[in-house]
Amino acid sequence: MIQEQLIEIRRQLHKIPEIGLEEEKTQKRLLEIILLIDKEFIEYKTWRTGIMVFVHGKNPQKTIGWRADIDGLPIAEEVLSDFQSEHEGYMHACGHDFHMTIGLGLLEQMSVEQPENNYLFLFQPAEENEAGGMLMYEAGAFGTWLPDEFYGLHVNPELPVGQITTKIGTLFAATCEVQITLTGKGGHAAFPHASNDMIVAGMSLVQQAQTIVSRNVNPVEGAVVTFGTFHAGSATNVIAGEATISGTIRTLTEEMNQLTQIRIREIGEGIAKSFNCEVVVSLDQKGYVPVINDPQTTEKFIFFMKQEPDVVFEEAEVAMTGEDFGYLLSKVPGTMFWLGVDSPYGLHSAKFEPKEAAIPFAVEHISHFLKFLDK
């Protein structure tokens, strides 16, 4: 595919963002493009809204995997363009339209002639909400196509086009979503003694939860506890009888994630006793374990990219970003890396606007790496 074709494909995909396990239009468009890459040594199969494309090698010694996630986010786009999202309230605000397009470009490049080894190209659903990689693995979707080593990228708005970064070991954090419901007795604002205010209880819980990082977490390990929503009350003169709070935990190790979860529950139980109310704490980690890059595959990747013309490689710092590719890397050795796309606004922003020049750049240089692995 030439540059113009890649850009057009990205724009087509950008128009039709869909949330995890509902990517039906996305899957259909991907399959239309995949079927154009018609070779006798290529076959594909689907799993729900995901797609796996297997390139059979001439003399395979291993299977090399490439993963691209395909889902969008429930965010209303604020970037005006000729290819703005056609699905109101949804947007490719995390760059998965870039990921898919790059994956298609790499598939084509690796299919120009039959490689020696096998290659699996995974177009994975539900990275954002349901840990689609874990679901596919646990369902046995890969079968005999499970790679011996796995690679994938994530776009990075803070890096310029032309830059790639990664590191050996932990790259991204483990995550856990938190949902808390506090239930007490509401009442009239003029008679506070006859009620127990769940806004006050909820505020106290949020404040106390911040002590987990400052007083329970080893400072050299790091953790994040962030509450993003707080819903309570219905009128200015009514004491709220219920409050719902949601947030996220981010840690660099599974052990720290479990410790933080335990402390959230303990604080919730303490608040329930203090305010004479009921509390329900729901913690959902799913398959969002840390992304830990394998030393051997990552050393190969770093060595290659440092030699590759026009690539600016730097070692990455650990990020508290969550990525469900971590689950697959806990089962198969591999490497994830950042690709610079130079956006003025960050990931998950309604104004996220990555530079499309990163797409042909990635296809060119990553295909060189995949061919290097075939030697």
Side-chain angles (χ1 to χ4, degrees):
M1 298 176 192
I2 61 174
Q3 178 173 329
E4 289 75 15
Q5 291 174 312
L6 291 168
I7 300 305
E8 179 57 28
I9 289 170
R10 180 261 164 162
R11 294 181 178 184
Q12 292 171 3
L13 293 168
H14 187 82
K15 289 181 180 181
I16 53 170
E18 298 163 295
I19 60 172
L21 303 179
E22 297 180 15
E23 308 99 326
E24 294 179 1
K25 290 183 181 179
T26 302
Q27 184 188 54
K28 180 181 177 182
R29 183 66 189 120
L30 288 171
L31 286 172
E32 289 171 350
I33 299 168
I34 289 166
L35 290 173
L36 294 175
I37 308 172
D38 184 22
K39 296 290 178 69
E40 67 279 0
F41 52 85
I42 296 177
E43 62 177 312
Y44 76 90
K45 59 184 177 182
T46 61
W47 180 86
R48 298 182 70 169
T49 50
I51 307 169
M52 289 169 285
V53 185
F54 198 79
V55 181
H56 290 273
K58 291 183 289 188
N59 183 30
Q61 304 299 310
K62 60 182 176 180
T63 298
I64 299 162
W66 179 266
R67 177 269 206 169
D69 39 8
I70 70 173
D71 53 327
L73 285 160
I75 294 174
E77 184 170 12
E78 295 180 15
V79 179
L80 299 178
S81 70
D82 294 335
F83 51 93
Q84 191 174 21
S85 171
E86 296 174 351
H87 295 171
E88 186 176 353
Y90 296 91
M91 177 188 175
H92 271 300
C94 201
H96 295 186
D97 49 343
F98 271 51
H99 298 177
M100 288 185 279
T101 305
I102 293 166
L104 290 168
L106 295 175
L107 169 61
E108 186 200 45
Q109 287 294 308
M110 297 308 298
S111 306
V112 172
E113 60 181 52
Q114 189 174 13
E116 292 293 319
N117 288 292
N118 300 325
Y119 285 80
L120 174 73
F121 290 86
L122 167 63
F123 295 89
Q124 180 212 298
E127 188 279 325
E128 295 287 356
N129 63 342
E130 295 292 339
M134 179 191 71
L135 295 179
M136 293 185 73
Y137 185 90
E138 292 188 343
F142 294 101
T144 59
W145 288 4
L146 185 68
D148 297 294
E149 52 192 82
F150 234 142
Y151 298 88
L153 65 80
H154 203 296
V155 296
N156 189 324
E158 298 180 4
L159 300 178
V161 173
Q163 187 166 55
I164 288 173
T165 72
T166 193
K167 67 184 294 294
I168 295 170
T170 303
L171 181 67
F172 298 152
T175 72
C176 177
E177 302 309 298
V178 182
Q179 300 283 339
I180 300 173
T181 301
L182 294 162
T183 306
K185 182 181 178 183
H188 196 292
F191 307 103
H193 59 286
S195 306
N196 52 352
D197 193 334
M198 291 303 97
I199 290 180
V200 176
M203 290 170 58
S204 181
L205 189 150
V206 171
Q207 288 181 321
Q208 288 189 39
Q210 303 313 306
T211 66
I212 297 172
V213 175
S214 65
R215 289 296 176 267
N216 298 125
V217 173
N218 186 329
V220 300
E221 292 190 44
V224 171
V225 177
T226 296
F227 290 100
T229 73
F230 189 128
H231 299 286
S234 58
T236 58
N237 61 348
V238 175
I239 293 173
E242 183 174 281
T244 58
I245 307 165
S246 66
T248 185
I249 297 168
R250 305 289 172 105
T251 64
L252 297 179
T253 66
E254 273 293 288
E255 294 76 16
M256 188 57 68
N257 208 282
Q258 294 303 314
L259 170 64
T260 307
Q261 291 182 43
I262 289 170
R263 290 295 295 128
I264 288 282
R265 287 194 185 279
E266 291 173 344
I267 288 171
E269 292 166 1
I271 290 294
K273 291 179 180 178
S274 297
F275 288 86
N276 192 26
C277 64
E278 296 181 358
V279 63
V280 176
V281 179
S282 299
L283 299 162
D284 188 357
Q285 192 170 359
K286 293 182 180 175
Y288 295 88
V289 299
V291 172
I292 302 176
N293 284 337
D294 171 71
Q296 185 175 352
T297 60
T298 309
E299 284 175 1
K300 285 190 294 187
F301 180 81
I302 292 173
F303 170 80
F304 182 87
M305 288 302 169
K306 283 184 174 180
Q307 315 302 318
E308 183 73 352
D310 302 321
V311 172
V312 177
F313 179 84
E314 288 188 7
E315 184 169 344
E317 296 182 353
V318 178
M320 285 295 184
T321 309
E323 236 289 354
D324 87 326
F325 193 48
Y327 184 86
L328 291 176
L329 292 187
S330 74
K331 304 299 182 181
V332 178
T335 300
M336 172 158 264
F337 59 93
W338 287 116
L339 173 73
V341 293
D342 192 20
S343 168
Y345 293 90
L347 299 172
H348 292 208
S349 167
K351 297 182 179 180
F352 181 57
E353 193 173 8
K355 288 187 169 55
E356 293 177 324
I359 296 173
F361 168 85
V363 171
E364 177 185 357
H365 296 289
I366 299 167
S367 66
H368 291 171
F369 173 68
L370 294 180
K371 292 173 182 177
F372 165 76
L373 294 177
D374 198 40
K375 296 176 181 178

